[in-house]
Amino acid sequence: GNSVTQMEGPVTLSEEAFLTINCTYTATGYPSLFWYVQYPGEGLQLLLKATKADDKGSNKGFEATYRKETTSFHLEKGSVQVSDSAVYFCALSRHQAGTALIFGKGTTLSVSS
Amino acid sequence: GAVVSQHPSRVICKSGTSVKIECRSLDFQATTMFWYRQFPKQSLMLMATSNEGSKATYEQGVEKDKFLINHASLTLSTLTVTSAHPEDSSFYICSATVTSGRNNEQFFGPGTRLTVL
């Protein structure tokens, strides 16, 4: 079946450090891939997405590239800020209309100044 | 982007009572809405898929008689937790999907934190 595996957290970084959160997936066909962010006490917000192989999603300095050959969608940011502290979820969705997202377990990022 | 609201944002109730949570798509029509549940420090687990005008489809292990879902219109779905117990305390999140061709983007509500005493 379809599944998403994220690296275990928490990830603790100093401000301006480089961030990588690994995400790999298992799916039939060619799913869309997403990164969502959840700030403390809030709901999920879409951070970025990619809908086909080799697409790069980017937003707010975060990037992730859809790698079909390695079934990966790793999240990266060159210089994190304290305000990036949150929980990050990798997710996939089949293109079939009306199907739910499948989420990874989430990775907590804590950035200190 | 599309906006999804949930009401209430927080609710505290006594054990044995029922609680209704509303999920609304504010500026678009959603043929499908999803209800997720999130336990502390864990991922979102899909509870059910709600299609307008038809019965909801529940995931394995989710009691349909306990978690009643009604998708009355293209902009409103409700989740009622019946006879709530402390173990039902959780963060409930809905999402609504706009389906167009290959696009299956979902928009999430801000969530409802339920605490059952």
Side-chain angles (χ1 to χ4, degrees), chain A residues 54-72:
Chain A
D54 299 325
D55 267 2
K56 177 185 285 188
S58 61
N59 185 26
K60 300 180 181 179
F62 291 89
E63 293 183 341
T65 301
Y66 190 142
R67 301 285 188 201
K68 180 175 177 294
E69 63 276 14
T70 54
T71 62
S72 66

Side-chain angles (χ1 to χ4, degrees), chain B residues 38-54:
Chain B
Q38 184 182 28
F39 290 103
K41 302 187 186 301
Q42 295 190 29
S43 187
L44 281 73
M45 299 301 296
L46 179 67
M47 298 176 65
T49 301
S50 169
N51 291 294
E52 186 266 339
S54 62

Side-chain angles (χ1 to χ4, degrees), chain A residues 32-110:
Chain A
S32 291
L33 301 173
F34 305 83
W35 277 101
Y36 283 84
V37 59
Q38 184 178 33
Y39 296 102
E42 299 183 14
L44 270 70
Q45 301 175 27
L46 178 65
L47 181 59
L48 54 83
K49 68 177 181 180
T51 58
K52 61 182 187 295
D54 299 325
D55 267 2
K56 177 185 285 188
S58 61
N59 185 26
K60 300 180 181 179
F62 291 89
E63 293 183 341
T65 301
Y66 190 142
R67 301 285 188 201
K68 180 175 177 294
E69 63 276 14
T70 54
T71 62
S72 66
F73 193 55
H74 304 321
L75 182 69
E76 296 182 337
K77 186 174 185 181
S79 177
V80 293
Q81 304 300 312
V82 173
S83 58
D84 293 326
S85 299
V87 182
Y88 293 82
F89 292 94
C90 185
L92 70 81
S93 170
R94 296 183 63 185
H95 289 301
Q96 181 180 352
T99 55
L101 292 174
I102 297 171
F103 287 89
K105 292 187 176 182
T107 302
T108 300
L109 170 65
S110 178

Side-chain angles (χ1 to χ4, degrees), chain B:
Chain B
V3 179
V4 175
S5 70
Q6 275 185 247
H7 178 79
S9 58
R10 292 178 181 272
V11 57
I12 300 173
C13 69
K14 294 182 179 180
S15 185
T17 60
S18 294
V19 174
K20 179 184 284 188
I21 303 170
E22 292 186 348
C23 176
R24 294 182 184 273
S25 57
L26 297 184
D27 51 1
F28 67 99
Q29 292 186 330
T31 53
T32 303
M33 290 184 174
F34 303 95
W35 287 95
Y36 296 85
R37 182 175 181 177
Q38 184 182 28
F39 290 103
K41 302 187 186 301
Q42 295 190 29
S43 187
L44 281 73
M45 299 301 296
L46 179 67
M47 298 176 65
T49 301
S50 169
N51 291 294
E52 186 266 339
S54 62
K55 290 183 178 181
T57 302
Y58 290 82
E59 294 301 298
Q60 190 172 8
V62 178
E63 299 176 57
K64 61 181 180 181
D65 294 331
K66 181 169 185 62
F67 298 99
L68 300 178
I69 292 173
N70 182 23
H71 196 153
S73 74
L74 287 172
T75 59
L76 173 65
S77 177
T78 60
L79 168 68
T80 301
V81 183
T82 61
S83 186
H85 291 283
E87 58 266 29
D88 298 324
S89 298
S90 189
F91 195 50
Y92 293 87
I93 303 173
C94 74
S95 72
T97 183
V98 178
T99 55
S100 173
R102 284 168 58 84
N103 184 13
N104 191 25
E105 185 165 359
Q106 294 186 27
F107 301 92
F108 284 81
T112 297
R113 185 162 302 284
L114 170 63
T115 303
V116 184
L117 303 177

